[in-house]
Amino acid sequence: MPINPSADAHSTSAPTRRWHRTAWVAGGLVGLVVLGVVVGETTGWPVLRQSMERAMTKGAGVPVVLQGDVKLHLIWRPRLAVDRLQIASDERFKVPHLLDAQGVLLAWTWGDVWRWRQGERLRVHSLQANELDAQLVRLKDGSANWQLGAPRPENTGPDAVESLPRFGTLLMNKGRIDWNDAVQDVDLKVAVQGSEGEAVQGADAGYVATFNGRYQALPLKLNVRAGSTLPLLQDTESAAGAPWVPLRVEGSVGTSRLLFDGQAAALLGTPRLQGEIQFKGRSLAAVGDPLGITLPQTPPFDLRGTLDHEAGAWRLKAQRAVIGSSQLAGDLLFDQREKPAKLSGQLTGSRLALADLGPAIGGKGGDTTKDDATAPGRVLPQRRFDLPSLKAMNADVQVDIQQLDFGTTAMAPLQGLKTRVRLAGGVLKLEDLKASVSGGSIAGSTQLDSNASPAAWVAKLDFKAIDLAGWLRGLSTADAATSPPPAKGAATLKKERNEARQGGDQAVQSYLTGLLFGSMHVRGAGRSTGEILASLDGPVQFTLRDGTLSHLATEAMGLDVAESLGVLIRGDQPLPLRCARFYLIARNGVVAPTLAVIDSADSTIRITGQVSLRDESLALRVVTRSHDWSPLSLRTPVTVSGTLGDPQVGIEAQGLIGRVLGAVALGAAVGPAAAMLPLIEQGSTSKVDPCTVAAVPEQSGNQPAAPRKP
């Protein structure tokens, strides 16, 4: 069959022409789409305005209205510029709207939108407005008008604030934010106004904001001035790249006055702050409560230093912190990123007065309007500890204080106090506690466990080579009380003792002197210092070395009239001590000596009885046995009764009356000289050291024997 070339060419060219036509149509359509996108991006997609309103209303769950000129950009950096943007609020929140903004520039990312549609928290890349009015409301049931979109169970309750949109940047030239939160007890109003640019120069440039209202029951009134556009909100993810703005904050927080002068990259949400701070107030506790920081009730304070905050971590470098009469400083970090929050760093200072922390340990001082520090007629502090606050945070703080003042002239302050304060899980510990006083030292540890019911307290303390007269200044004689005796070392005390043995006529500086050694390992339980002491258990022992005792005090305790008159005539001189030892046992708040002896060359003094820390009652008996002959002695046991707040000193009159009646009878029968015979004390010296176990009188079966003399 003959071949037709023209027919074959026609059959192969038809599909090709059809493919080319399809390609041209497709290309034309793509071109039209691209052209449409270009035109849309250039003109701001005006044809999508109504569709966009409907989509935004559906997504938010409340009406969204766009007014005036609208420019929408969907490619590369999606953003919306609109003359006015209104987002309504549900009627049950009783506010006209959630957001009403003019001159708005709203930017986002499609990834953020997709994640929000999947149930994550909405994040807005940037919101800028010439004027902005936001009404944020949360009801007691946890529902909030900022919970946009379909309701989610996790966005209700105390954590519903987490559903508030996150902002990479929130800027406004003028406007206000009203935040009313019934769950967190917040009623705060923020007003902003200002201007910047080439037409505004000098002091008029910048922005001013006022914060008024209540934050967690704490009245708040602050004036804020920024040198540029005020950065109100800054999201954590973009805060690191936000520009710093000069910032000055001044006003009141509760009863405290605040001044901050520095720079900031955000004020709300996740603040970034750097600058100098001055803070004055009536008590530190009022500052710590709204921040979740456990701080004690104190007298007025004045703090000056630098403050830094970034990503939930606050750092305070206090160059000067005056609390009452205390002079402190420190470098502290409060990290809210940890759960619970943690306070760490160093606390230093030249002086810490214990009275300034009185309420923290159950005593007086600071704000005492809540309850009395002590019950009527009681001495021991009864103010209850704020135990729940011990679980609100953790702490690890190194303390180095030059002087710890006990607030009394009767006791010398501690020097060089060092310890590590640790708070974890409601357990407060003072570890590696060390201090020096009057030439000696105190070391040990304490612990308060608020998890126990009642709270459990333990203390282990050791005392070494402390000059007793230099520490307990209340032991000084009347002449020396106005100028407390200086601390003395062992060599000085030995020298004075030798001089006393040689009959030196130096004036007595203290009724009792010597180097004190001892230890205590006690425990108790309760909600106050008084309750803990009322349940005290454990041993306490002290030994006095190289000591002296006032001769006059010795004879007075024994009612030796002749010896006392002699001492008054020739002057009181210290008697060297052969030994002095006190071994006490506390059981359920009752402290009783198993051994309490002061032995000198003149006499031996023994103390028996008990002191009840439960009802603060005293029941002590002091018996003095003379070592020498005395012609006129009315010696009889001395008793101490009453309470810690009102001690009563008396004598056991029965034996004394018998001796006096015998003297009267002999004087009448034999003669005046014979009347002296019943009043003459022969004296005796024991060959056994009264401070050893062998010399201890028989104890009741439930009392342990005293330890051997070291």
Side-chain angles (χ1 to χ4, degrees):
M1 169 184 268
I3 299 175
N4 188 345
S6 61
D8 184 66
H10 177 75
S11 63
T12 57
S13 63
T16 303
R17 286 194 298 270
R18 286 196 299 270
W19 182 89
H20 284 295
R21 285 196 301 269
T22 302
W24 277 104
V25 171
L29 292 176
V30 171
L32 289 174
V33 171
V34 172
L35 180 61
V37 170
V38 171
V39 173
E41 286 291 304
T42 303
T43 60
W45 297 99
V47 297
L48 297 180
R49 176 171 179 161
Q50 293 183 352
S51 299
M52 184 167 51
E53 279 188 346
R54 289 194 296 268
M56 295 175 69
T57 297
K58 182 179 179 181
V62 292
V64 177
V65 179
L66 305 176
Q67 296 181 358
D69 192 19
V70 177
K71 300 291 185 182
L72 176 64
H73 300 277
L74 302 175
I75 307 300
W76 185 240
R77 295 180 179 178
R79 60 196 183 277
L80 170 66
V82 59
D83 285 346
R84 186 171 186 178
L85 169 64
Q86 288 182 314
I87 303 177
S89 176
D90 193 283
E91 293 181 356
R92 60 195 179 104
F93 296 104
K94 298 181 180 180
V95 291
H97 52 258
L98 170 62
L99 181 70
D100 186 354
Q102 299 184 30
V104 177
L105 178 60
L106 178 67
W108 67 91
T109 66
W110 292 115
D112 290 334
V113 174
W114 182 83
R115 284 186 288 271
W116 175 55
R117 299 294 296 176
Q118 298 302 311
E120 295 186 15
R121 184 179 175 186
L122 175 62
R123 182 182 186 275
V124 177
H125 180 72
S126 175
L127 175 59
Q128 301 182 40
N130 293 329
E131 294 188 23
L132 184 145
D133 183 4
Q135 306 283 327
L136 307 178
V137 180
R138 180 158 57 152
L139 304 179
K140 291 183 178 180
D141 62 4
S143 59
N145 68 340
W146 61 74
Q147 295 167 340
L148 302 177
R152 300 183 180 94
E154 66 271 17
N155 289 341
T156 61
D159 296 331
V161 71
E162 296 297 328
S163 63
L164 185 68
R166 296 183 300 155
F167 289 87
T169 304
L170 172 60
L171 303 175
M172 72 173 80
N173 294 336
K174 180 181 179 181
R176 70 174 189 173
I177 298 176
D178 288 359
W179 180 13
N180 194 311
D181 191 333
V183 176
Q184 290 193 340
D185 190 21
V186 176
D187 186 2
L188 191 62
K189 292 177 173 55
V190 183
V192 179
Q193 62 180 3
S195 58
E196 62 179 331
E198 297 179 357
V200 183
Q201 300 293 334
D204 294 333
Y207 288 76
V208 175
T210 59
F211 292 72
N212 287 282
R214 183 185 72 254
Y215 181 79
Q216 295 184 353
L218 193 68
L220 194 69
K221 188 174 182 179
L222 297 174
N223 294 320
V224 180
R225 175 173 288 276
S228 182
T229 303
L230 190 65
L232 280 177
L233 284 175
Q234 195 71 48
D235 188 45
T236 307
E237 298 176 4
S238 59
W244 289 101
V245 174
L247 182 71
R248 181 181 177 89
V249 181
E250 187 172 7
S252 61
V253 180
T255 58
S256 305
R257 295 291 302 175
L258 171 68
L259 173 61
F260 175 85
D261 194 357
Q263 58 183 0
L267 294 183
L268 303 176
T270 307
R272 292 184 66 208
L273 301 170
Q274 291 181 355
E276 298 182 356
I277 187 172
Q278 298 181 23
F279 207 13
K280 297 181 180 181
R282 294 193 306 183
S283 174
L284 284 176
V287 179
D289 288 344
L291 297 177
I293 306 176
T294 304
L295 297 177
Q297 290 282 356
T298 67
F301 68 92
D302 185 353
L303 183 150
R304 303 190 180 191
T306 60
L307 180 68
D308 294 88
H309 179 267
E310 185 164 357
W314 297 83
R315 183 165 188 179
L316 172 65
K317 294 183 179 180
Q319 286 87 23
R320 177 175 177 266
V322 179
I323 306 174
S325 60
S326 301
Q327 302 282 340
L328 303 174
D331 186 351
L332 300 172
L333 175 67
F334 182 63
D335 195 344
Q336 294 176 303
R337 296 169 298 184
E338 298 192 23
K339 300 298 180 183
K342 183 176 180 180
L343 178 68
S344 60
Q346 295 181 336
L347 178 65
T348 61
S350 59
R351 184 175 186 270
L352 173 60
L354 200 60
D356 296 334
L357 301 180
I361 57 175
K364 298 180 180 180
D367 182 7
T368 59
T369 59
K370 295 182 179 180
D371 50 30
D372 293 331
T374 56
R378 303 292 291 268
V379 174
L380 301 178
Q382 302 297 322
R383 179 187 294 275
R384 292 187 176 184
F385 304 132
D386 185 10
L387 296 176
S389 65
L390 295 181
K391 299 180 181 179
M393 59 175 281
N394 291 336
D396 189 352
V397 178
Q398 295 287 347
V399 177
D400 188 350
I401 304 296
Q402 295 181 21
Q403 184 183 89
L404 175 63
D405 192 340
F406 292 98
T408 173
T409 57
M411 182 179 294
L414 299 182
Q415 306 292 335
L417 173 65
K418 296 183 179 181
T419 187
R420 182 181 182 183
V421 180
R422 301 185 65 184
L423 176 60
V427 180
L428 176 63
K429 298 180 181 180
L430 300 184
E431 299 178 345
D432 302 324
L433 190 153
K434 299 177 182 178
S436 61
V437 60
S438 300
S441 65
I442 299 176
S445 63
T446 67
Q447 174 179 305
L448 179 65
D449 186 356
S450 66
N451 297 305
S453 183
W457 178 77
V458 178
K460 298 179 181 179
L461 297 173
D462 293 317
F463 306 84
K464 294 183 179 179
I466 299 175
D467 174 14
L468 184 64
W471 184 25
L472 303 180
R473 295 169 175 173
L475 296 174
S476 300
T477 61
D479 294 338
T482 55
S483 56
K488 304 172 184 178
T492 302
L493 290 172
K494 288 182 178 179
K495 180 180 178 181
E496 291 183 353
R497 178 175 176 175
N498 292 332
E499 290 175 347
R501 285 175 173 173
Q502 297 169 7
D505 56 358
Q506 292 182 341
V508 176
Q509 293 293 311
S510 180
Y511 292 116
L512 184 64
T513 70
L515 292 180
L516 183 69
F517 295 80
S519 65
M520 60 186 299
H521 184 187
V522 293
R523 64 183 64 245
R527 296 163 295 179
S528 68
T529 302
E531 289 186 8
I532 288 176
L533 294 178
S535 61
L536 201 66
D537 281 294
V540 179
Q541 55 179 326
F542 292 104
T543 300
L544 200 61
R545 301 178 186 174
D546 301 314
T548 63
L549 179 65
S550 165
H551 195 169
L552 181 60
T554 301
E555 304 306 335
M557 281 188 286
L559 299 182
D560 193 329
V561 178
E563 287 283 0
S564 299
L565 289 174
V567 172
L568 288 174
I569 293 173
R570 66 177 180 267
D572 194 4
Q573 295 179 352
L575 294 173
L577 295 179
R578 296 196 300 182
C579 68
R581 182 160 189 174
F582 303 88
Y583 186 82
L584 315 174
I585 291 292
R587 287 190 177 89
N588 199 23
V590 178
V591 182
T594 59
L595 176 65
V597 178
I598 302 176
D599 186 57
S600 68
D602 180 82
S603 59
T604 299
I605 301 172
R606 295 184 183 276
I607 304 173
T608 58
Q610 67 179 33
V611 176
S612 174
L613 301 178
R614 305 182 69 179
D615 57 13
E616 301 188 8
S617 62
L618 301 173
L620 297 174
R621 186 172 185 263
V622 182
V623 178
T624 303
R625 293 286 181 261
S626 178
H627 296 330
D628 54 12
W629 178 87
S630 177
L632 185 59
S633 174
L634 301 178
R635 199 177 302 278
T636 189
V638 175
T639 61
V640 181
S641 59
T643 65
L644 294 176
D646 185 21
Q648 304 292 326
V649 180
I651 59 174
E652 291 185 359
Q654 183 176 0
L656 180 60
I657 291 174
R659 296 179 66 183
V660 173
L661 291 177
V664 172
L666 281 176
V670 181
M676 298 291 294
L677 294 177
L679 304 180
I680 295 176
E681 186 172 20
Q682 297 296 326
S684 62
T685 302
S686 174
K687 295 182 180 180
V688 179
D689 186 346
C691 292
T692 61
V693 176
V696 179
E698 292 185 6
Q699 307 292 333
S700 60
N702 62 346
Q703 290 180 318
R708 294 184 178 274
K709 181 180 178 181

